[in-house]
Each structure stands twice: as C-alpha cells, then as structure tokens.
Amino acid sequence: MLARCSVLALLLSSALAKSAAIRGLDPLLASKYVPNAAGNFVCLDGSLEIPFSRVNDDYCDCPDGSDEPGTSACNNGSFYCANHGHIPSRISSSKVNNGVCDIECCDGSDEYDSLANCPDVCAELGQKSREEAERRALVEGAGSRRKMELIRQARGLRKTKRDELARKENLLADAIEVFNRAETLKNELEERDNEKARAREGRQSALRDQHLPDLVAYRRFLSSELHRLRAHRDSLVLLLRSVRNGHNPEYNDEAVSQMIADYALFTEAYPYIESAALENAAEGSKARAEREALMDKDNAEQDDQDFEKCRTAIDIFASERDTLADDIETLAAILAKLRDGYNKNYHDLEVKAAVVGFADYESVREKDLAAIAAQSQEIGIDGVRQRVADATAAFDALLVSHVAPPILPPTAPAIAPPQFMTEMLPVSDSAGANQELDDARSAYWTAHNAKTTLTSEVSDLKKLLHDTDLGPDDVYLSVKGECISLDTGEYTYEVCLLDRAAQISNKDNSRQDLGSFAGFVDGGAHKYENGAKCWNGPERSLRASFVCSDTISILSITEPEKCEYIAKMTGPFACDSVADDVPPPKSIITEHRPEHDEL
C-alpha cells in the first residue's frame, strides 16, 4: 500500500512539474493543466477535451482560449508574466510576440519568439514600485492617524456641544421669561401713553375747532397783503429795468450809473424777480386779478379746512411778506437815490419817466397801505394775530409735552445674560413718564435681541448635533466650515468644508457662489449645489473628491461641463481608520533585503 502511494505521489509531482513548464501559465492554474487519466486536457470551461499535446501548439482549440496560455493563437486568451522582482501580471494573448515590449510584462517573457529583444526591467520597476508603496504607506499612515485624531476630537467636541446646547437651552428659557415680562411692561406703558396721547389729541382737536376761524382770517389777510406787495415790487423792478435799458449813456450821469450798478447787484442775487415781473406785466391787470382770485380760491379749498395746513400756509405767507418788504425797501431806496441825485439839466427821457413813475408808485403804495390798515382794523387783525399766536403756542405745548421715542431696536443690540436683563426691567419711581417708557422699551429690545440670538444659537446647535451628516464617526465635526483655497492664476477657488464653495476673481476680487453643501456622494465625495446661475446655463455646482493625506488641500479644479466644477482634494477623511496604538510604518527601503530564491 505504501509503495502504491509513493508511485501516485511521484506521478503527481511529475505532472505538476510538467505543467509548471507550460509557457504563459498562471501558477495558480497549474493544477488544471495536468493530463487526465486519458492523457487529455480539459478546457477550463469544460466545453472540450483535447489531447494534452495540443496545449500551446499555436492553434486555438478551446472556445475559452485556455489551451493557448503561451501563444497568440486565441484572441480571448491571456498570458501570464512572472515579472520576478516586481508584480506578476496577465496580458491579452494578442500581445504575445507582437514585437512590442509591453510594460505589463517587464521581464520581456511575452516576446520570446519575436525580434523585439525586450530587456528584463522588473528589478528597476519593482524598486520604484516599492519606494512609491512606502511613500504611499507613510502618507496613508499619517493620514490615518490624523483621521483618528479628528475622530477623538469629534468625540470631545460633540460632548462640549451637547453641554453648550443644554446650557443655552436653559439660558433661552430664562431669556423668554424675561422677554415676556419686558413685553408686558412695555405694552402696559405704551397703552398708558396712548391714553394720554388720545387725551392730548382731544385737547388739540378742541384747539383746532376753537381757533381755526382766526387762522383762516389771518391767512386771508396775509394773502391780500401779498397781492399788493408783489405788485409794488414788480412796479419798482420795471422802473429800474427801463432806466438800465433805455437811459442815454452819453450824458454820463453818475447818479444813473450808480443806480444801474446797485440794481445789477440786486438782479445778480435774485435773477428770477425781474423775469417774474415781466411775465406779470405781460399778462395785464385784468388777467392778473383773475389769476390772484383763482389762487385765493385754491388756497382756501386746500388750507382753510385743516388747522395744520392753515398754520403752515400762514408761516409761508408771513415769510414771503417779510421778503417782499425787504426787496421793496431795497428797490425803493435805489430809485429814491436816483430821484434825488440825477442831473436835471440832462434831457434823459427814461430817467425822467422813472422819476415820475416812482412818484406814482409812492402814491399807490400810500393808498394800498391805508387800505391794508383799514382792512386790518375792520377784522381786528391785532386780536386775530394774538389769538393765532396763543393757539399756536398752546398747540405746540401739547405736542412737546410728551414726545414718545420711536419703537425701534437699538442700532447695536446689547446681548446680556438673563441676570443682567432681569435687573434692567424695574423702572425707577422717580423717572418721568417718558423716561419710564424709554427704559421699558430699552429693556424690551435688549430682551428681544437676547432671545433672538439664543434661539438662533440653540437652533444651530440642534441642527449640527442632530440633523447634520458629519461623516463616519463625526470625522468632519472639528473642521466643519474650515476653508481651503487654491490659486489657479485667473481665479482662486475656495471650499469651506460642509458649508459652501466659491470662485474668486484675482482681478477684481468678485465672488461667484459655487453652491452650498448638499451631502455626500460616491463614498465620501462632497456635493455643493444651487450656486449662482451661469449666464445662459445651469446653476453653478462643485463636487469635491478626496485622496488620503494628513493635510487638507485642493490639488486641482477642473470644469468638464459648463459651470460644473470638479475639485480633487487631499484629506484624512479618505484614509482607512487605524487603531490608536498602531505605530507609523518603518521604512521598507532602509530595511529591504534583496530577494533570494531558496531553491
């Protein structure tokens, strides 16, 4: 029995040795390339059985090409390259003996029967590959340790954020209570103030009803006076203009020259007055009277039914009356100076006509002033004026007796802790009504701003802790919002982790929004969407993918489609997690020993 087993073992060893000699055969398939009991080879797909001698005979027998691992006979076969000193590989059978040195077969074994004469470069490539593998291992090791550090930080930070949330929820509850009390107090004081305002409005209404007739009478009196004064000024302007334009300069009358100079100063200061006087003169006295009557009617309809409008009209009319009086005094003085100083021996018709016209003006003015005085006495204008003054003073006193400040938030909201806000709510008994309301409003807005801020902070913390995907083991928690940028020359691209992305012009610093974080895709890539709309295109978006590294950086930014950006980045997020006690890998270059084959 023992002898029989020994024979079988010897036969099997011989068969395996024979299969090992088959060119292009993957050693892992060696057991399949052993003759069966009939001395045949069975195609690997089991579809055919052929004499073993047909293996590698440069003719394709098996449908799966498995009978020709070392030739190019089967276009669906594969050739195994041992690549000693480097990484074994398999290439398509079509590349065998095609006269091309394929880098996948760095040992040149695929060109055993061609003129390519491919050298064996596996040792060199293997060395480079091992060096790159070591470098990659160092980078990935550092990245993995950095990832574990971020995870440890996240655990502590999550606990800190939970504690902060609990603390701020308590503060928010206190702030809401303080706000409610502040709002109640403010509303009560405002209602009390409104009641006072309604009482003041009642007194103001009584004043309006009582004194409106006096205001109307005074406004109409001023309007009548203004018509006369405007006509007086127009008459003086036209007289002076006629002398300036029509005098005889050959007389060289100093009084005339002085008049022209004085009038020039006046017209330079008030150029519109002369043009208005010419327009009024051109329309004629009848048309002017009709226009003034229409003005009086419009003013009565607009102003005489409303206390405030009538007051305003009185103020405007009084101001114009004073202005007209000043202008008339100035112009009359210029003409009086001409009348008293011109050379009467000169026969200057325009000058003499102006002197006569000035005398006529003075006569008309005396009559008008007498008519104004008579009208004043008839309506008792002094008493009306006094009552108007008294009513105005009483009305203004009511307005200023309590001017409530606007209900607006302070420009720089002061956010104080609830204890501080609680101390602000009581109002001093010695404070006046206005001060008490001011203090209540100030306390209200302080409480309102504190409540609003705490509400926002609590909402943000809840969103962060409960609704935000921070990656496996919260790895992004401690770096969320951290911004990384890459200058590409024309633009600087900025990616703020789990927040937003932007494109910044290096020319004018303008920014284009590339989107806000919208989640993870494709096993950890970041998706930023809904950015600024492209001209005649889609909304801008960015997708960021990561390779393992202990540092976070942007390697490149591309735009394969219009306004759709691809960022290649580095970061520990793409690294494998390792146990905390795993040491950094030792150098495989410094400890590398040359391969040697025991056999």
Side-chain angles (χ1 to χ4, degrees):
M1 184 66 180
L2 181 60
R4 184 178 180 182
C5 290
S6 298
V7 171
L8 288 174
L10 183 60
L11 290 173
L12 179 60
S13 175
S14 175
L16 290 174
K18 184 175 182 180
S19 67
I22 297 175
R23 190 186 301 275
L25 177 62
D26 187 339
L28 295 177
L29 300 177
S31 62
K32 307 277 187 185
Y33 286 79
V34 177
N36 61 11
N40 294 330
F41 172 75
V42 179
C43 299
L44 295 186
D45 62 2
S47 62
L48 191 65
E49 183 175 321
I50 61 174
F52 197 84
S53 60
R54 293 187 186 178
V55 174
N56 274 348
D57 66 348
D58 205 17
Y59 184 84
C60 192
D61 297 296
C62 293
D64 62 357
S66 57
D67 64 313
E68 298 297 323
T71 74
S72 60
C74 299
N75 59 12
N76 60 341
S78 63
F79 182 89
Y80 175 80
C81 306
N83 292 344
H84 294 296
H86 193 30
I87 302 170
S89 67
R90 296 173 71 169
I91 64 172
S92 172
S93 294
S94 62
K95 293 184 177 181
V96 176
N97 290 325
N98 65 349
V100 177
C101 296
D102 297 297
I103 195 63
E104 297 94 332
C105 258
C106 59
D107 58 2
S109 59
D110 61 318
E111 298 299 322
Y112 61 87
D113 193 21
S114 76
L115 300 177
N117 192 24
C118 299
D120 185 346
V121 294
C122 288
E124 178 184 351
L125 293 179
Q127 178 68 15
K128 290 181 180 179
S129 176
R130 287 187 292 275
E131 290 175 357
E132 175 60 21
E134 178 192 5
R135 186 195 69 77
R136 204 54 246 157
L138 290 172
V139 169
E140 292 178 358
S144 296
R145 289 190 297 278
R146 175 58 180 153
K147 180 177 181 179
M148 295 308 300
E149 182 182 346
L150 290 177
I151 292 173
R152 286 194 300 273
Q153 290 176 357
R155 294 186 191 124
L157 186 56
R158 177 168 282 275
K159 181 181 183 306
T160 300
K161 294 291 184 183
R162 283 198 300 265
D163 294 343
E164 183 182 0
L165 175 59
R167 180 176 62 83
K168 290 197 171 180
E169 284 178 329
N170 291 333
L171 288 175
L172 177 58
D174 293 341
I176 291 173
E177 181 180 351
V178 171
F179 170 77
N180 291 339
R181 295 207 310 272
E183 185 178 38
T184 299
L185 177 60
K186 178 185 73 72
N187 291 344
E188 289 175 353
L189 292 177
E190 284 180 346
E191 179 56 31
R192 187 179 71 184
D193 190 67
N194 289 338
E195 290 177 1
K196 293 180 179 179
R198 286 190 288 271
R200 285 192 302 276
E201 178 59 31
R203 293 194 294 274
Q204 289 169 356
S205 179
L207 279 173
R208 293 188 191 101
D209 295 341
Q210 178 184 354
H211 294 287
L212 182 58
D214 288 330
L215 265 70
V216 170
Y218 189 38
R219 186 201 66 76
R220 292 179 178 178
F221 173 79
L222 287 174
S223 179
S224 175
E225 186 179 6
L226 284 176
H227 291 326
R228 289 184 169 91
L229 293 177
R230 291 182 189 123
H232 294 171
R233 185 177 65 181
D234 288 349
S235 297
L236 295 173
V237 167
L238 293 175
L239 289 173
L240 290 166
R241 179 180 180 275
S242 68
V243 174
R244 181 195 64 194
N245 294 346
H247 77 285
N248 190 338
E250 293 182 359
Y251 291 128
N252 197 22
D253 192 326
E254 291 185 6
V256 174
S257 299
Q258 185 61 48
M259 183 226 80
I260 292 173
D262 292 342
Y263 180 60
L265 291 176
F266 181 84
T267 54
E268 287 174 6
Y270 312 106
Y272 59 90
I273 290 179
E274 185 175 293
S275 59
L278 289 171
E279 290 177 4
N280 294 335
E283 70 178 344
S285 58
K286 181 180 179 181
R288 181 170 184 160
E290 291 174 352
R291 177 172 56 81
E292 289 174 347
L294 185 60
M295 286 174 57
D296 288 341
K297 180 182 176 183
D298 291 342
N299 288 337
E301 291 176 353
Q302 181 177 345
D303 301 330
D304 290 358
Q305 307 303 318
D306 185 279
F307 187 89
E308 280 299 324
K309 288 183 178 179
C310 199
R311 281 183 62 190
T312 302
I314 287 172
D315 291 340
I316 293 172
F317 286 180
S319 176
E320 186 181 358
R321 179 195 59 191
D322 295 340
T323 300
L324 284 166
D326 290 342
D327 291 346
I328 289 169
E329 182 180 357
T330 300
L331 296 171
I334 295 173
L335 276 167
K337 192 188 229 184
L338 173 66
R339 177 195 62 194
D340 298 338
Y342 83 101
N343 191 331
K344 298 175 180 58
N345 294 323
Y346 296 150
H347 189 59
D348 195 325
L349 297 179
E350 288 296 338
V351 174
K352 290 184 176 182
V355 171
V356 172
F358 183 52
D360 293 340
Y361 156 79
E362 288 183 318
S363 176
V364 171
R365 179 168 173 77
E366 286 180 6
K367 291 178 183 178
D368 285 346
L369 291 178
I372 292 173
Q375 183 185 9
S376 172
Q377 183 152 0
E378 179 184 346
I379 64 176
I381 197 63
D382 291 337
V384 170
R385 188 183 290 114
Q386 184 59 50
R387 289 194 297 275
V388 167
D390 293 343
T392 300
F395 194 84
D396 290 342
L398 284 174
L399 287 177
V400 301
S401 63
H402 181 85
V403 180
I407 308 174
L408 297 173
T411 54
I415 307 304
Q419 295 84 349
F420 175 71
M421 291 188 297
T422 304
E423 295 170 2
M424 291 184 63
L425 289 180
V427 181
S428 171
D429 292 336
S430 62
N434 284 1
Q435 186 60 47
E436 187 178 15
L437 182 55
D438 290 349
D439 292 343
R441 284 173 174 164
S442 176
Y444 166 83
W445 282 112
T446 299
H448 174 276
N449 292 330
K451 179 177 77 76
T452 301
T453 300
L454 285 168
T455 298
S456 176
E457 291 175 350
V458 167
S459 176
D460 290 345
L461 284 169
K462 284 182 176 179
K463 182 178 179 181
L464 176 67
L465 294 174
H466 305 314
D467 302 329
T468 303
D469 186 354
L470 297 167
D473 299 313
D474 292 340
V475 68
Y476 284 96
L477 179 57
S478 61
V479 294
K480 182 180 182 298
E482 183 177 320
C483 297
I484 301 93
S485 61
L486 174 69
D487 188 341
T488 63
E490 184 177 2
Y491 298 105
T492 292
Y493 290 88
E494 183 180 73
V495 176
C496 298
L497 300 176
L498 275 59
D499 186 6
R500 57 180 175 77
Q503 178 195 67
I504 307 166
S505 170
N506 289 335
K507 182 178 180 180
D508 58 11
N509 209 37
S510 60
R511 298 175 70 92
Q512 289 288 353
D513 181 16
L514 300 186
S516 299
F517 181 68
F520 295 100
V521 292
D522 300 336
H526 294 191
K527 180 173 61 174
Y528 298 84
E529 294 183 337
N530 302 318
K533 193 173 189 322
C534 244
W535 182 82
N536 200 25
E539 292 180 337
R540 289 175 170 83
S541 64
L542 180 140
R543 179 171 297 198
S545 60
F546 290 83
V547 295
C548 177
S549 175
D550 61 334
T551 59
I552 307 172
S553 65
I554 303 175
L555 297 176
S556 66
I557 297 279
T558 57
E559 188 181 1
E561 299 290 340
K562 185 175 183 179
C563 296
E564 295 179 3
Y565 300 87
I566 299 295
K568 291 185 178 180
M569 301 182 65
T570 67
F573 327 109
C575 302
D576 293 332
S577 300
V578 297
D580 293 350
D581 56 353
V582 174
K586 294 181 180 180
S587 170
I588 63 174
I589 295 178
T590 56
E591 294 192 356
H592 176 70
R593 294 180 176 82
E595 291 185 56
H596 71 278
D597 191 340
E598 292 291 344
L599 299 178

